[in-house]
């Protein structure tokens, strides 16, 4: 994207992503870690993120062949897993050519793999549904599926995997039940295991297995943000990887009783200095952000007031006597945790990051 005069941009701190990847590795020191870079690396720019991790990542995970090919074409090597496998049998030719590993989660995919005639072996991750109830074989089917793949001469490495529904809920026994169901299905099979997303990397060491799959933690957000169970988890050592920043484009003083923005959602209780910043929901700032959502101006915290517009937001500058148009505004980053903005908008940081609009340039920085 060409650099625009509009002051809005997302600065991506590649050194922070490397730091966070190392955190994932040190929390699960006996496991290899697939850096999850699906959805354009959660909005951070998949090619740049994968390049920043290329020297140390054990591999990468993406959602689909298109995402994998983009990385391969930009020179990213090593293990690369398709988290949902292929959507049609023709894709297996691409998987083969690009040297990808694929999830096999259903009978159709299993048949496609077994009936393929690849010129190199296909690595298959057998997905078991241990309680998420989205995709995957039932644990009782594992032995049969695994045996059929093992007997197939063009199947290479096999790994057994599952995905947790509630790993961020530290008090809830559901994750233990999922681990138990997984191990029962495997019944002692000598096969690689992969269970852990970011929350499980932190909270469920018994689920680290041979391969972890950290996603959100790489981008510097605690997987426990908004769950109220932040408490004893050492997620604080993560470094925010994205600073979404813009600038003030207007500063005005309103009288008590004057409303601000669409619908007059916010009404000044007292004479109020109001700032307008160049960002709106068309850029991915959440339209549901409530009055009081944290924002920083010149490094100092304040709050959103009034409804978010398509291209602008309004914020409280009371007490910011020196504030001027052009002053920097941080929507989230090192001063304003993305998780706090997400919470104030009834969503999660994953959605904020992946919702960054096309007109927001990503600026990749490395220390
Ligand atoms: C997206 C995804 C992950 C990463 O989850 P985080 O919560 O972002 O760590 C791991 N495994 C699978 C199967 C996924 O789809």
């Amino acid at each position: 994207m060409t650099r625009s005069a509009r002051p809005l941009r997302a600065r991506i701190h590649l050194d922070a992503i490397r730091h966070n990847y190392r955190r994932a590795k040190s929390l699960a020191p006996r496991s290899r870690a697939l850096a999850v870079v699906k959805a354009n690396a959660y909005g951070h720019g998949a090619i740049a993120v994968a390049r920043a991790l290329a020297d140390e990542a054990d591999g990468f995970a993406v959602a689909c062949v298109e995402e994998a090919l983009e990385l391969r074409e930009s020179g990213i090597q090593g293990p690369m897993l398709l988290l949902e496998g292929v959507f049609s049998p023709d894709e297996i030719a691409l998987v083969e050519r690009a040297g990808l590993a694929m999830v096999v989660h259903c009978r159709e995919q299993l048949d496609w793999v077994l009936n393929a005639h690849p010129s190199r072996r296909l690595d298959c991750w057998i997905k078991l549904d241990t309680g998420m109830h989205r995709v995957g074989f039932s644990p009782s089917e594992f032995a049969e599926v695994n045996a059929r793949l093992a007997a197939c001469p063009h199947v290479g490495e096999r790994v057994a995997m599952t995905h947790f529904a509630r790993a961020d809920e530290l008090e809830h026994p559901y994750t233990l039940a999922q681990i138990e169901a997984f191990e029962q299905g495997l019944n002692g099979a000598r096969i690689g295991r992969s269970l852990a997303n970011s929350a499980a990397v932190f909270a469920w060491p018994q689920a680290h297995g041979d391969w972890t799959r950290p996603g959100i933690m790489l981008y510097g957000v605690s997987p426990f943000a908004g769950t109220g169970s932040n408490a004893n988890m050492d997620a604080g050592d993560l470094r925010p990887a994205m600073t979404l920043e813009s600038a003030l484009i207007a500063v005005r003083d309103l009288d008590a009783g004057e409303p601000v923005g669409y619908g007059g959602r916010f009404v000044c209780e007292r004479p109020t200095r109001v700032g307008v910043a160049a960002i709106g929901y068309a850029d991915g700032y959440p339209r549901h952000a409530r009055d009081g959502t944290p924002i920083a101006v010149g490094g100092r915290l304040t709050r959103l007031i009034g409804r978010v517009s398509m291209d602008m937001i309004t914020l409280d500058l009371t007490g910011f006597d020196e504030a001027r148009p052009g002053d920097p505004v941080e929507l989230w980053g090192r001063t304003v945790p993305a998780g706090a903005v997400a919470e104030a908008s009834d969503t999660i940081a994953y959605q904020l990051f992946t919702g960054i609009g096309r007109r927001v340039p990503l600026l990749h920085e490395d220390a």
Side-chain angles (χ1 to χ4, degrees), residues 12 25 30 35 66 90 123 219 228 282 309 338:
I12 308 300
K25 290 282 289 189
R30 279 189 279 278
E66 292 86 342
D90 343 320
D123 295 334
Y219 309 103
S309 305

Side-chain angles (χ1 to χ4, degrees), residues 20-333:
N20 297 333
Y21 182 81
R22 286 175 196 153
R23 280 288 289 142
K25 290 282 289 189
S26 68
L27 284 160
R30 279 189 279 278
S31 312
R32 286 178 283 176
L34 289 181
V36 180
V37 294
K38 64 189 176 191
N40 200 26
Y42 293 46
H44 292 65
I47 293 173
V49 168
R51 282 192 177 141
L53 291 173
D55 286 344
E56 52 194 290
D58 301 318
F60 296 95
V62 295
C64 56
V65 161
E66 292 86 342
E67 292 180 345
L69 293 183
E70 179 188 39
L71 294 177
R72 285 292 193 239
E73 279 156 19
S74 60
I76 302 300
Q77 299 173 341
M80 197 174 289
L81 174 66
L82 302 178
L83 288 166
E84 286 153 50
V86 292
F87 301 89
S88 78
D90 343 320
E91 281 184 68
I92 292 185
L94 301 173
V95 166
E96 179 194 337
R97 216 174 313 144
L100 308 175
M102 64 186 145
V103 162
V104 176
H105 67 69
C106 63
R107 293 280 154 191
E108 290 78 6
Q109 289 180 331
L110 179 63
D111 289 340
W112 298 340
V113 168
L114 295 175
N115 296 330
H117 299 284
S119 56
R120 66 158 113 173
R121 278 145 67 103
L122 302 171
D123 295 334
C124 294
W125 290 46
I126 305 167
K127 184 153 185 180
L128 298 187
D129 173 16
T130 56
M132 182 73 144
H133 299 328
R134 253 177 0 186
V135 296
F137 295 98
S138 103
S140 63
E141 294 174 288
F142 171 77
E144 179 236 333
V145 173
N146 184 42
R148 291 180 68 190
L149 289 171
C152 178
H154 61 256
V155 169
E157 193 189 356
R158 283 167 290 112
V159 175
M161 72 175 285
T162 194
H163 193 53
F164 294 131
R166 317 184 65 156
D168 55 338
E169 297 176 60
L170 307 180
E171 313 297 327
H172 204 287
Y174 203 68
T175 301
L176 291 175
Q178 286 197 261
I179 296 170
E180 173 68 19
F182 185 71
E183 285 305 331
Q184 267 187 11
L186 265 57
N187 191 25
R190 286 186 42 219
I191 187 170
R193 286 157 167 72
S194 178
L195 305 88
N197 57 2
S198 298
V201 166
F202 279 103
W204 305 96
Q206 62 275 62
H208 284 168
D210 299 286
W211 291 92
T212 61
R213 306 186 307 269
I216 193 69
M217 68 176 294
L218 301 180
Y219 309 103
V221 173
S222 163
F224 309 101
T227 64
S229 51
N230 245 326
N232 46 13
M233 282 301 126
D234 188 19
D237 189 40
L238 298 175
R239 294 189 192 153
M242 179 190 294
T243 302
L244 183 64
E245 61 185 24
S246 189
L248 294 178
I249 59 169
V251 176
R252 53 213 299 121
D253 291 292
L254 299 184
D255 292 330
E258 291 193 293
V260 177
Y262 286 117
R265 180 178 77 179
F266 180 86
V267 178
C268 300
E269 281 172 15
R270 59 183 78 82
T272 301
R273 172 160 290 189
V274 175
V276 182
I279 182 163
Y281 61 77
D283 304 299
Y285 194 84
R287 202 186 78 94
H288 291 100
R290 289 191 284 272
D291 290 334
T293 301
I295 289 188
V297 175
R300 200 175 139 198
L301 280 173
T302 180
R303 57 177 185 144
L304 180 84
I305 54 176
R307 253 188 218 158
V308 172
S309 305
M310 187 182 287
D311 314 305
M312 288 182 267
I313 57 169
T314 41
L315 47 105
D316 188 357
L317 286 178
T318 303
F320 287 64
D321 298 334
E322 306 296 316
R324 300 265 176 286
D327 285 0
V329 175
E330 181 186 299
L331 292 316
W332 58 73

